[in-house]
Amino acid sequence: MAVNVLFQPPVVRRERHFRGFDPLEREFSDEELRQRYRFDRETIGYLSDLMRGDLERGTKKETALSVEQQVMIALRFYGSGSHLQVVGDTMGFDKSTVSRVIDRVTDLLVAMKDDFISWPDNQRKNLIRAGFYEKAAFPNVVGCIDGTHIRITGPSIDEPAFVNRKGFHSINVQAICDHEGRFTNISARWPGSAHDSHVFRTSAIGQHLENGYQGIGQGVLLGDSGYPCRQFLLTPYRQPAAGRGQARFNRRHCSTRSTIERTFGIWKKRFHILGSEIRMKPDKACRIIIACGILHNIAIMRNEPEVAEEQLIDNQPQMPPYNGPQDGKGIRDHFATTFFA
């Protein structure tokens, strides 16, 4: 049967609106900028200058995004963990623009990884040793290592491999930090089912230490009992013997190694995307994780303050008095009729 195409209504194209704004042109204080974008005005300018040559568009269109706008779209996404649509609505751009900008900024940050996350040289190791010893009197430590799981949306390919021991989909991220909480190594390439010891053994830093470690003079790492105890990676005693210093070793080890746990906490608090869920394919999620690791180190380098705990606003209704039967069913009925009827 032939289709009559002569009387089809014309396609009405929706008019495109470009209503984005530049946050730096508003009178935000540095504290207000940090609440929204995790960095102050000077550091946002520093990040923009780092990427200016690659982000500047070869166009004079009025609708072209400035470098600063692109950087701040990405920072808003990393910092809030919101959906792309929400980030776009907040800053006045459509979802597709936000997606392209985040991809571009993330890729540029990842390309700078070696400039901001690097294994310390001998001079730097001496400073790290002294810093760790000052914390808990554990000598010769050049880094603390641990893994953390970053939640992701379950992928369509090889989905079971990304389910970790806690039952959610994740990337198992391995990181080493110094006494200041600065990342000196980070690896985000293994699915959540991978064990920490396997991630370390197959990582570049693990192979470097395995093949190139020349003795205790090069310093040691501290890790938890999920790692094997090696000449370059010390773990706690599982059952410390009395009278041989092993219990004290464990206490000092724990106090020193807590630096990496605290670092993960600061990192995830600054970039909420890491503490919520990255709703992207695993390869993109891994790049976002690395980008946030680089930004974490830049925050330390620029003396950015830690992100304060956001105050919880208690909007719940007042609980009216209850005089009925003092059992679970009676109280449940009270809740149902009072708040949900």
Side-chain angles (χ1 to χ4, degrees):
M1 179 178 178
V3 178
N4 188 346
V5 297
L6 296 178
F7 300 103
Q8 286 185 345
V11 176
V12 178
R13 296 188 180 276
R14 186 176 61 180
E15 184 181 357
R16 299 178 70 190
H17 296 279
F18 298 90
R19 50 190 174 84
F21 65 89
D22 187 340
L24 292 181
E25 292 181 357
R26 298 194 172 186
E27 294 183 358
F28 288 139
S29 66
D30 279 344
E31 185 58 34
E32 289 171 325
L33 286 171
R34 287 192 184 101
Q35 288 174 357
R36 292 165 173 81
Y37 307 101
R38 296 321 196 214
F39 295 99
D40 67 8
R41 191 175 300 271
E42 285 191 5
T43 302
I44 291 170
Y46 170 79
L47 292 169
S48 300
D49 289 341
L50 281 178
M51 293 179 269
R52 191 171 302 280
D54 294 290
L55 289 180
E56 279 182 330
R57 297 288 192 91
T59 178
K60 295 183 178 179
K61 289 183 178 179
E62 292 183 2
T63 56
L65 276 68
S66 70
V67 172
E68 288 75 12
Q69 283 176 313
Q70 294 177 69
V71 169
M72 295 177 80
I73 287 172
L75 293 179
R76 182 72 173 180
F77 173 71
Y78 302 146
S80 68
S82 299
H83 290 270
L84 299 179
Q85 186 71 62
V86 175
V87 174
D89 290 347
T90 301
M91 298 187 65
F93 299 102
D94 60 66
K95 180 180 176 181
S96 60
T97 298
V98 171
S99 179
R100 287 194 301 270
V101 167
I102 290 170
D103 282 349
R104 189 179 303 120
V105 172
T106 298
D107 288 344
L108 288 175
L109 285 170
V110 171
M112 302 176 191
K113 178 183 177 184
D114 292 343
D115 295 330
F116 294 100
I117 302 178
S118 59
W119 193 243
D121 57 22
N122 289 333
Q123 183 177 3
R124 179 66 185 166
K125 281 182 180 179
N126 289 334
L127 294 174
I128 295 172
R129 286 186 181 97
F132 274 126
Y133 188 77
E134 184 71 19
K135 286 180 178 292
F138 200 117
N140 205 33
V141 177
V142 295
C144 295
I145 184 171
D146 202 0
T148 187
H149 286 268
I150 305 298
R151 188 186 292 265
I152 64 169
T153 299
S156 57
I157 299 175
D158 203 16
E159 180 268 340
F162 290 87
V163 179
N164 62 31
R165 66 183 183 276
K166 295 184 178 180
F168 63 86
H169 299 90
S170 68
I171 301 295
N172 190 351
V173 180
Q174 173 187 280
I176 301 172
C177 76
D178 65 14
H179 62 294
E180 296 176 321
R182 181 186 284 104
F183 291 129
T184 56
N185 184 267
I186 189 168
S187 174
R189 52 186 291 264
W190 284 97
S193 63
H195 193 274
D196 286 353
S197 60
H198 176 76
V199 174
F200 177 70
R201 186 173 64 252
T202 57
S203 67
I205 189 64
Q207 294 178 6
H208 167 73
L209 292 172
E210 187 70 48
N211 300 322
Y213 191 70
Q214 297 175 354
I216 197 170
Q218 290 187 301
V220 296
L221 300 176
L222 300 186
D224 64 21
S225 56
Y227 296 96
C229 188
R230 305 300 305 277
Q231 67 269 35
F232 46 77
L233 199 173
L234 302 184
T235 60
Y237 291 96
R238 291 184 181 272
Q239 295 180 325
R244 300 179 59 184
Q246 295 180 7
R248 182 175 294 178
F249 173 98
N250 276 7
R251 289 194 298 271
R252 300 284 176 85
H253 183 287
C254 180
S255 295
T256 307
R257 194 184 61 80
S258 65
T259 306
I260 183 64
E261 296 172 350
R262 181 173 182 273
T263 296
F264 282 148
I266 293 170
W267 186 38
K268 291 182 179 182
K269 190 161 59 174
R270 186 183 299 277
F271 303 110
H272 284 183
I273 188 67
L274 304 176
S276 54
E277 179 182 76
I278 304 180
R279 293 170 288 272
M280 294 183 176
K281 293 180 179 179
D283 60 331
K284 282 190 176 183
C286 290
R287 295 204 304 275
I288 287 170
I289 293 166
I290 296 297
C292 289
I294 292 163
L295 291 170
H296 168 83
N297 278 8
I298 289 174
I300 293 175
M301 182 185 75
R302 301 281 302 180
N303 295 315
E304 288 282 351
E306 295 177 18
V307 175
E309 289 284 0
E310 296 182 2
Q311 185 175 3
L312 179 64
I313 300 175
D314 189 356
N315 290 321
Q316 65 176 321
Q318 290 285 71
M319 178 63 69
Y322 171 67
N323 299 315
Q326 295 298 315
D327 58 36
K329 291 183 179 179
I331 293 174
R332 182 177 64 185
D333 290 343
H334 176 62
F335 270 74
T337 57
T338 302
F339 301 116
F340 304 107

